[in-house]
Amino acid sequence: MNGYGDLGAFGIILIVFGVIGAVLSVVSAVIYLCYFMSSDDRGKAWCPKLVVLFAFALSVCSIFLLPLDVANTKLDGGLAFVFQVTWQVFYGFVAVFVVLIIPFFIFYYESEDPDKGIFYQIRWGLCATVVTFVIVAVLTGVTYYFFGWADVPFSQYVSEDAYYTLADARANLALSARQYEIKTISIFVSIVIYLIAVILFLGYFVFITCSGCGMTALPVTLIKSFFFRPRRIRSSEFVTIKAKLMNQSKRLIEIGAKLQEAQDEGKITLKERRVLNDFKIAAYRLEEEWKIVHQSFFSAGGSVILPIVYLVLGVLSGLVSIAWIVHLIVYWAIPTPPNGMLNVVFNWLDGLTMGFPILGGALFTFFALYLVLTVLAGNSMITSRLPLISIHPMRKGDTMMNSLMFNTGLILLCTVVINQFTQRAFNSYSTSTAMDIIFSGAVQNLRYIRWFYFAMIYAYLGCCGLGFILALICCREKTKSEKDLNEVLDRLDVGAIDTLQ
């Protein structure tokens, strides 16, 4: 059987595992929503909640789908065509969610105004979504016409002898010196394949930046939570710090009123969004500082066990990050890898279960899921430092739905890349899968972006180093109130006055 034949016993087992993975994806999406959702959104904003649930479940389900694709190839489960169709349907859902659904509900949620009603929200959400769709559709259509060609390499074997059957030719090629020439064939790819390539291309910019920095920032952040945990403070210190924070909060309230007035009157341009971003960061960090001070005084520094848990998780995540980075350097960045690195480990674990990919597949899935955590860690480190991007912090029990939808959309977009990135990083273990067939053919050989797939591993490793440097420089995540919040407030005050003029 070649993977397209009758459904065998292994295929039925894979379907059962697929159903279990789908159930776990839905459960994890519910836990994700309940853990981060703000209490202010309880009992309302049902449509945005459904969007978050479906998008996150879709992301996790695709991660579970990848090892099943590998298992189907290794066990010849007869589901190769099903997996190819499933991957293309998944990428279609990603495009719809990222371009249409999530932007609509973000604008819909953020435009809520009790005085204007729900039709104002719907109108604002539709206008923003239509503009986004038209821009994406026009750019995709124009670039597809000019850049939709793929140059796919193939090997052309040459022989001076004539053969009457394909079996004789194959036997001769197996015994001969296998003289062949590397040639390419140019094909105009389908719009579906081109959309997959565009989603992957755009997703890689987010993934390289966020996951690359998060690969090293995640363990450092967890370890920092141990060394810089809240300490017990005396009442005199509490009174002094509380008075300082109250003064800064009053200034923020005044500045926020000015900025709100300017925003309502449409006086804030795209260039001035940095002022709004600084205001959000200052308010967010001031709130975090108050929580730490409150915990240090009223709870004597808080839990003793939780910082130790953070330290253990930081050490374990550090080991996983080192394993990822070493593997990428040795197996991918080097043109001729000396060995299979983690591919050998996966195959060895599968050998312990007589070839059934349980242990190796489980570890394979764990390394793929770890990339999702690095994306979230890198996102929290980077987005607050970019001028024109609104800050969307993820906090336990205090995350508004617009931030949840933004970060979930980010995860969904990066999931496309995570699947392809994991397959390429472990292609010795996941060779000949439906994912491999889709990406190793036309997608990675599109004429004008082939160079990108060659260079992106070095960009990813560079971001890993950048994330480590940033984590060391920002050794302690000091708030603006500790360092230079007054300076930021002065700048905000001037910016707000200038905006109003």
Side-chain angles (χ1 to χ4, degrees):
M1 190 186 298
N2 60 3
Y4 293 88
D6 298 330
L7 180 65
F10 288 129
I12 297 176
I13 294 175
L14 293 178
I15 292 176
V16 173
F17 274 104
V19 173
I20 294 174
V23 173
L24 292 176
S25 300
V26 174
V27 172
S28 64
V30 174
I31 295 174
Y32 169 80
L33 178 64
C34 295
Y35 182 83
F36 287 109
M37 182 180 61
S38 172
S39 57
D40 296 336
D41 285 324
R42 296 191 185 278
K44 59 181 182 179
W46 292 107
C47 288
K49 290 176 184 176
L50 290 177
V51 171
V52 170
L53 285 174
F54 191 88
F56 189 82
L58 189 65
S59 300
V60 178
C61 190
S62 71
I63 299 296
F64 287 130
L65 188 64
L66 185 57
L68 293 178
D69 191 4
V70 175
N72 176 70
T73 302
K74 291 181 175 293
L75 300 175
D76 202 5
L79 297 173
F81 178 74
V82 174
F83 277 105
Q84 288 190 20
V85 173
T86 303
W87 283 123
Q88 295 186 36
V89 171
F90 164 70
Y91 294 127
F93 272 114
V94 171
V96 171
F97 266 81
V98 171
V99 176
L100 298 177
I101 296 179
I102 291 180
F104 169 80
F105 281 103
I106 287 179
F107 287 111
Y108 170 86
Y109 181 86
E110 292 183 344
S111 61
E112 182 180 1
D113 190 339
D115 298 330
K116 297 182 179 179
I118 190 173
F119 292 105
Y120 172 78
Q121 294 179 257
I122 295 175
R123 185 170 65 251
W124 179 249
L126 285 175
C127 291
T129 304
V130 168
V131 171
T132 303
F133 175 76
V134 169
I135 293 174
V136 173
V138 170
L139 290 177
T140 302
V142 172
T143 56
Y144 176 63
Y145 179 79
F146 290 101
F147 305 141
W149 291 91
D151 299 321
V152 182
F154 68 95
S155 301
Q156 177 177 311
Y157 290 88
V158 180
S159 176
E160 297 179 355
D161 301 322
Y163 301 98
Y164 296 98
T165 64
L166 183 60
D168 292 339
R170 287 176 174 172
N172 177 74
L173 289 174
L175 296 175
S176 67
R178 296 192 176 187
Q179 298 178 349
Y180 63 90
E181 299 178 2
I182 301 296
K183 294 188 176 183
T184 58
I185 181 173
S186 297
I187 59 173
F188 193 70
V189 301
S190 67
I191 186 64
V192 176
I193 296 298
Y194 186 76
L195 284 175
I196 293 175
V198 169
I199 295 172
L200 187 69
F201 182 72
L202 296 178
Y204 255 116
F205 285 99
V206 180
F207 174 78
I208 289 173
T209 307
C210 292
S211 178
C213 292
M215 181 67 72
T216 48
L218 177 60
V220 174
T221 302
L222 290 171
I223 294 174
K224 282 195 317 183
S225 299
F226 171 78
F227 287 104
F228 298 106
R229 60 191 181 275
R231 311 279 183 173
R232 183 174 182 176
I233 60 175
R234 296 189 298 269
S235 58
S236 59
E237 295 177 278
F238 175 74
V239 171
T240 302
I241 298 175
K242 180 180 178 181
K244 182 196 299 184
L245 295 181
M246 286 182 63
N247 291 331
Q248 292 167 349
S249 64
K250 289 178 181 178
R251 292 191 63 190
L252 275 177
I253 293 173
E254 295 173 358
I255 295 170
K258 296 177 183 178
L259 291 175
Q260 183 64 50
E261 182 181 350
Q263 190 173 29
D264 292 340
E265 296 177 0
K267 294 182 178 179
I268 296 182
T269 64
L270 183 64
K271 183 178 180 180
E272 295 166 336
R273 286 187 63 86
R274 178 63 182 176
V275 178
L276 286 175
N277 199 36
D278 281 343
F279 175 79
K280 292 179 181 180
I281 295 172
Y284 168 68
R285 292 184 177 175
L286 188 63
E287 183 181 357
E288 290 296 309
E289 174 65 12
W290 168 246
K291 289 181 180 179
I292 294 174
V293 172
H294 189 276
Q295 187 179 26
S296 299
F297 181 70
F298 290 100
S299 302
S303 173
V304 178
I305 299 177
L306 192 59
I308 299 176
V309 174
Y310 287 147
L311 177 62
V312 174
L313 291 177
V315 173
L316 294 177
S317 62
L319 295 176
V320 177
S321 293
I322 291 173
W324 254 117
I325 293 172
V326 172
H327 175 84
L328 293 175
I329 293 174
V330 175
Y331 186 73
W332 192 341
I334 298 177
T336 305
N339 58 66
M341 296 297 292
L342 290 175
N343 292 285
V344 177
V345 178
F346 298 150
N347 286 313
W348 175 75
L349 290 174
D350 287 344
L352 298 179
T353 54
M354 302 180 65
F356 195 84
I358 290 291
L359 298 179
L363 187 60
F364 178 84
T365 306
F366 169 78
F367 274 90
L369 288 173
Y370 184 76
L371 292 179
V372 178
L373 299 179
T374 63
V375 170
L376 288 176
N379 174 43
S380 63
M381 169 183 284
I382 293 168
T383 53
S384 63
R385 294 172 170 84
L386 295 180
L388 301 179
I389 297 181
S390 297
I391 181 173
H392 288 280
M394 296 281 284
R395 293 177 289 183
K396 176 184 176 182
D398 194 22
T399 306
M400 304 304 292
M401 289 307 303
N402 58 338
S403 295
L404 260 178
M405 287 187 287
F406 176 85
N407 285 281
T408 305
L410 195 70
I411 294 173
L412 185 61
L413 180 62
C414 287
T415 301
V416 179
V417 181
I418 288 172
N419 288 321
Q420 194 274 338
F421 187 85
T422 306
Q423 188 279 324
R424 172 58 184 85
F426 306 127
N427 62 356
S428 178
Y429 179 75
S430 59
T431 186
S432 300
T433 59
M435 171 70 72
D436 185 24
I437 294 173
I438 292 175
F439 286 105
S440 62
V443 172
Q444 288 189 353
N445 291 288
L446 282 174
R447 184 172 296 172
Y448 298 100
I449 60 175
R450 294 177 62 181
W451 59 268
F452 174 78
Y453 294 108
F454 171 78
M456 62 93 174
I457 182 59
Y458 304 103
Y460 184 86
L461 293 173
C463 285
C464 289
L466 177 63
F468 183 71
I469 294 173
L470 289 176
L472 290 180
I473 293 175
C474 305
C475 185
R476 181 180 180 184
E477 192 66 24
K478 294 189 176 184
T479 63
K480 296 287 186 181
S481 61
E482 290 178 289
K483 296 179 63 178
D484 56 349
L485 183 57
N486 286 323
E487 179 182 342
V488 173
L489 291 175
D490 292 336
R491 187 173 74 250
L492 282 172
D493 206 355
V494 173
I497 293 175
D498 293 339
T499 301
L500 285 171
Q501 292 177 350

